Amino acid sequence: MPLFIVHHQHSPETCPARDPAKGAMLLNHLSRPSAARHGVVIKGEAVVRGSHSLFFIAEAADETVLQAFLTPFRQAGEVEVMAASTCAGVVASGGCDARPAEVSAAFLDPADACQDAVEAGLLVHRVYPLNGETSVQDLAGGAVVPNGRFYLRNHFDIPNLDGESYRLSVGGLVERSLSLSMRDLHNLHAESLVVTLECAGNGRSLFGPAVPGEAWGLGAVSTAEWTGVPLIEVIERAGLRPGATELTFRGADGGLVEGHDAPIRFERGLSFDQIREAGALLAYEMNGEQLSSPHGYPLRLIVPGWYAVASVKWLTEIVVTDKPCEAHYQTEKYWYQWVRNGGDERAPVTLMSVRALISSPDQGESLPRGETAIRGVAWSGAGSISRVDVSLNDGPWREARLVGERRRSAWQWWELMTRLEQTGPLAVRARATDMAGRTQPERAEWNRLGYGNNSIHCVTAQVI
Ligand SMILES: Nc1nc2c(c(=O)[nH]1)N[C@H]1C(S)=C(S)[C@@H](COP(=O)(O)O)O[C@H]1N2
Ligand SMILES: [Mo]
């Protein structure tokens, strides 16, 4: 709904607040329930002390509705109504002078989506496309990250799909092409999996020299319980034709990208073996709630263990082929490009690297002397975590206790209790090792597009 700022002013002689009956009448009129009856939502009001001047921020379908509501204020003095925008709206439209962009019903309003992300506590990197990360302190705590605080990574506008008319099409080298409604999918056998998603660019801003791409800190990672249909069941229903080995997953989103003249769709591919091994899920619920539009409503792919680019949101088509997918985000992006021995070496971004993050203490936090808990999360795409070691002030590595359930594709919390005897700076480092025996490097190898930065996390606190 459009936003307005209202300014009401009256003369000191006729100040309605001095007359108990008039004051009460205006208070009641301005109350939230009374405003709602007039079709107005009041966001907050304040009187400027000593100036007989009242401001409030309100939403209404249009100015006429708001003006009708303001009648008692016009009788008491003057009223000025100014059209306004949220800060998110101004940034989304490109500045204070720009008119708000026309929003098509096929997409979420970027300003609204951004406002929701900011209110939920995400650290927004960009409004278009909407990208925001979770704060590292928010990672540990509950078994999963609350939906509003789950990081967001988009490449294009966020589709606003209609679940009623939505169909998932499965075609290509199959025995039977399928067109499945959400009702069809809900009628299939459902499974729930707790899965950590991490953006391959998580930690990119910590690479030096700087690399292009979204400058993520360390919070482009979150965990949720995803519910939906095992992908393999849908593929088996369609039936593979001889030679069929690969699947392409197409999202409803798309747009122009560098190096292409025509708009592209967001597409990724996996082999049949990869989806079977990973236990991929067609998810329609996130933490027990219907998937939200920013996270892929009504249906997304979840590929446990893989960097999250594989987990295609707003999934509308699955195409079965005999050749690997050659889409932009498969072949032109999401490749490690290391510079080794004077030449480039390339490898595709696949499973998540092993990594631990310290959620407590926070960078720069003051800790009292005495008993303290060092805490965090750790995960790996290659298997569950076997150990996490912590080093204080470059001292020896000490094994932390793993807390909670051990799951194949979800992060593991860890904790180390220690006594802090000395005041002064405290450098905390944490290093995870997975069941496959992989551990973290001191510094991850620099690569041109800044993927997979699993350098050992270090925070410095202050013991007081
Ligand atoms: N259709 C579509 N799927 C997508 C993306 C996208 O832009 N479009 N981004 C991918 C990337 S790079 C990441 S990190 C995850 C982010 O998922 P989230 O926004 O639910 O956290 O979605 C993946 N799936
Ligand atoms: Mo990502």
Side-chain angles (χ1 to χ4, degrees), residues 139-159:
L139 296 183
V144 295
V145 174
N147 290 349
R149 241 178 278 158
F150 196 105
Y151 85 95
L152 275 173
R153 185 2 172 175
N154 299 297
H155 290 79
F156 304 106
D157 258 334
I158 298 174

Side-chain angles (χ1 to χ4, degrees), residues 151-155 198-202 204 216 220 266 307-310 334 451:
Y151 85 95
L152 275 173
R153 185 2 172 175
N154 299 297
H155 290 79
E198 183 187 15
C199 181
N202 194 28
R204 177 180 285 136
W216 297 109
F266 187 89
Y307 276 114
V309 65
Y334 297 97
Y451 296 125

